[in-house]
Amino acid sequence: FLHFIGGWEGWGGEGKMFTIIGVIQSTAILITVFVAVLRLAAHYLKAKQAELLYYPNMPPDSRVVCATPADYGISEYAILDVKASDGVALKAYYLPCTVEDSVITLIHFHGNAGNIGHRLPQAQLLMKHLKVNIVLAEYRGYGPSDDALVCEEGLKLDAQAVLDHVRSLDYVNPDAVVIHGSSLGGAVGIHLASEPHNKQKIAALLLENTFTSISDMTDCILASILKNVRISPRRKRVLTTVFTSIVKPVVLMLHWKSIDSIHKLEIPVLFVSGTQDELVPPSHMSRLYTLCKSSEKKLALIDGGTHNSTFTMPLALQEMKEFIDLHVRVW
């Protein structure tokens, strides 16, 4: 082995010594191996962490069983075939407004579990109260879309592809497209609206119970765990410092840093925050609202709204309807 790495000079009386070239070669090989191991570990960590964030199979069989609008008595609809820029095939449902003729189309990006079929009751409720056409967008690796790796980079490509595809449809007014993002879908929407080339493509953004970043969410989870651990406050502070300053920067591979993108938004933004959200602390929505620099923004606090029930509450629906009517100007 020593002879192979070129760092060993002889076995005899001249003594055993490493040449400078041999040391450099040995060091280079060790660094290469170390970097390779780190990359493999990072890939493994990212894959395992993704399993904790994305739940395409929750409820069970969500990847193979996806309800269609017809299953909910909706006779008029279209199944959209969308192609992401990396070739991944996506599906989406287009539901024309049945309440009244509408030129406004709302694209809904859902949370981290289930599929677009599970969102059909929500789509019906939104259509009834907001009086808009609805597009339920599906991510890669979810529902009827291609079985591709679910990751932040991929979902961003999916969102862009859906937006561009919807705006290209003959029956959609490209100047009256609203984005609605719930939970993870809110992070998708923030990214989409923060891209400079989308500035004129999105009329308004509706955010519902979304988070500032995955990093901040891990801090919340740690605090919740330590709250139930019987150790001294001092030890809790030490553990928190070690985790946030040393462990997290090294091992956390998921990001979704909405907190770094929210200031780029210039379009109208409505923040719909359930005060009883049990998954994402309402403080995340308040912080995003504060950092948003849009001149047309509003924070709507929905008293009693939980993570998944906020959109069903009359006040939330009223706030969304009034915001759309005020800011989506169709000539």
Side-chain angles (χ1 to χ4, degrees), residues 126 207 238 247 263:
L126 293 174
L207 299 173
V238 170
V247 178
H263 72 278

Side-chain angles (χ1 to χ4, degrees), residues 271-320:
F271 299 80
V272 182
S273 177
T275 61
Q276 298 301 315
D277 190 332
E278 71 284 13
L279 297 181
V280 178
S283 59
H284 283 232
M285 287 288 282
S286 298
R287 192 175 174 198
L288 288 171
Y289 169 77
T290 300
L291 294 175
C292 179
K293 294 184 178 180
S294 171
S295 60
E296 299 175 303
K297 65 177 182 177
K298 182 177 182 180
L299 174 62
L301 299 177
I302 310 303
D303 188 36
T306 63
H307 190 68
N308 292 317
S309 73
T310 298
F311 78 93
T312 67
M313 308 194 76
L315 180 58
L317 293 166
Q318 178 185 332
E319 291 283 1
M320 287 189 279

